[in-house]
Amino acid sequence: MAKSKKFLKLAFISLLTVAMLAACGTNAEKTNGGGNEGAKNALETIKKRDKIIFGVKNDTRLFGLKNPSTGEVEGFDIDIAKALAKQILGDESKVEFKEVTSKTRIPLLQKGDIDAIIATMTITEERKKEVDFTDVYFKAGQSLLVKKDSPIKGLKDLKKGTTVLAVKGSTSSQNIREKAPEAKVLEFENYAEAFTALKSGQGDALTTDNAILYGMADEDPSYHIVGGTFTDEPYGIAVRKGEKELLDALNKALKTIKSNGEYDKIYKKWIKKDFSK
Ligand code: GLU
């Protein structure tokens, strides 16, 4: 009797273990974006799915902005993503775009919701601990946006009593605390919210990359960029750590579009100013 009880207990524990292992398997599948039966890595998953899922901005003019009349996202990052998909999967339409913000992009990548981030993202040593980056595909630098009649002409004017607006999870928000330690920093979820806040007088200046600020000044000419750039912001495409095959494929595709003129065409279409200097 005691023996059969022991046996039952053992059988139960084995069953439980099998069930737990099965659950783990389902989770791992999820982290690879699904549809990855037998796929060894992110690139294989993409090839099986025949589509790359990119995390992109939806609120950043010139880089990733949702067009309300078509529902499509448009911008430099979007066109580069399509050009890369054409190289890797043979067709620029083999992409899916999911919205990310500066704060959500790394967590969404880690969760497996997206394969890669192409969203005005600066390559930094700190971020390299969490994700792997491709080669640089765009060079920006942090600057300030103010109303044209503002007395603020540069960093030195961000004294005590001034408020600077920034976006959560951005390098700009971190950097400004070092560069203008006396100023108060107000953080927002995304760039649309931050610009609306600037327009409604919640702050004296908005800080982020010059290329993003340029898009705002272009939208509302009563604002302009002041004080030049005070950081280097080289953009890279991020993938989950260790996804070497995908990283190599993206770097190879980037090289190809840079040498076949496609990159230059996209650059000219969106970036009217030269931000690389
Ligand atoms: N390039 C900067 C960053 O990666 C600012 C732009 C952004 O918030 O995406 O943090």
Side-chain angles (χ1 to χ4, degrees):
M1 191 63 184
K3 237 185 188 173
S4 71
K5 244 190 180 171
K6 206 172 174 187
F7 174 77
L8 264 171
K9 206 171 158 190
L10 250 166
F12 181 69
I13 290 170
S14 329
L15 247 161
L16 210 75
T17 317
V18 170
M20 268 163 73
L21 279 173
C24 282
T26 325
N27 251 339
E29 229 161 68
K30 258 196 220 147
T31 42
N32 271 329
N36 68 323
E37 295 76 19
K40 285 192 226 61
N41 58 56
L43 182 63
E44 267 196 30
T45 304
I46 287 168
K47 288 193 168 159
K48 284 205 165 127
R49 192 200 296 127
D50 208 21
K51 192 168 71 178
I52 311 178
I53 307 174
F54 283 104
V56 298
K57 294 281 179 77
N58 273 15
D59 69 318
T60 308
R61 220 165 114 87
L62 305 183
F63 285 88
L65 182 70
K66 195 165 202 157
N67 180 337
S69 59
T70 60
E72 302 281 324
V73 237
E74 298 165 353
F76 179 77
D77 280 343
I78 308 302
D79 284 355
I80 295 288
K82 288 179 184 168
L84 297 175
K86 189 168 147 197
Q87 293 304 319
I88 296 170
L89 296 175
D91 193 329
E92 67 157 48
S93 70
K94 292 184 174 175
V95 283
E96 186 182 325
F97 297 119
K98 286 197 180 163
E99 181 178 7
V100 298
T101 65
S102 307
K103 190 181 84 178
T104 65
R105 59 193 161 193
I106 291 181
L108 288 175
L109 179 68
Q110 310 289 38
K111 242 178 84 194
D113 284 11
I114 51 180
D115 300 314
I117 303 166
I118 180 156
T120 67
M121 188 173 186
T122 302
I123 302 168
T124 68
E125 289 309 313
E126 208 182 319
R127 288 173 179 164
K128 275 192 203 164
K129 291 178 194 154
E130 295 186 275
V131 297
D132 287 340
F133 284 103
T134 60
D135 299 333
V136 176
Y137 73 94
F138 186 84
K139 286 180 184 163
Q142 188 172 347
S143 194
L144 300 170
L145 184 78
V146 297
K147 196 138 200 190
K148 275 187 178 158
D149 58 9
S150 165
I152 294 169
K153 304 275 181 257
L155 265 184
K156 61 172 189 352
D157 300 316
L158 297 177
K159 303 214 175 76
K160 219 179 165 73
T162 55
T163 301
V164 188
L165 312 177
V167 163
K168 288 179 191 168
S170 67
T171 50
S172 342
S173 177
Q174 278 185 341
N175 296 333
I176 200 68
R177 291 167 213 271
E178 274 170 43
K179 307 272 178 189
E182 287 181 13
K184 182 179 162 198
V185 181
L186 248 187
E187 285 190 318
F188 294 84
E189 293 300 325
N190 58 52
Y191 286 104
E193 276 184 27
F195 191 32
T196 305
L198 181 70
K199 289 194 233 176
S200 69
Q202 289 184 58
D204 305 292
L206 193 164
T207 189
T208 185
D209 300 336
N210 52 354
I212 299 175
L213 296 177
Y214 181 75
M216 295 175 184
D218 197 37
E219 184 190 320
D220 186 337
S222 54
Y223 290 86
H224 69 168
I225 301 172
V226 292
T229 57
F230 46 88
T231 68
D232 288 328
E233 307 289 332
Y235 292 0
I237 303 164
V239 300
R240 277 184 291 282
K241 253 200 155 340
E243 293 292 357
K244 192 178 176 318
E245 297 78 5
L246 177 56
L247 201 66
D248 289 349
L250 287 168
N251 274 330
K252 193 171 156 227
L254 263 178
K255 273 210 180 78
T256 308
I257 65 165
K258 277 186 181 169
S259 62
N260 72 8
E262 204 155 342
Y263 177 92
D264 286 344
K265 232 167 76 188
I266 297 170
Y267 197 101
K268 278 203 195 94
K269 177 177 166 192
W270 294 103
I271 317 294
K272 309 282 185 289
K273 250 184 138 101
D274 189 1
F275 291 107
S276 59
K277 295 187 179 90

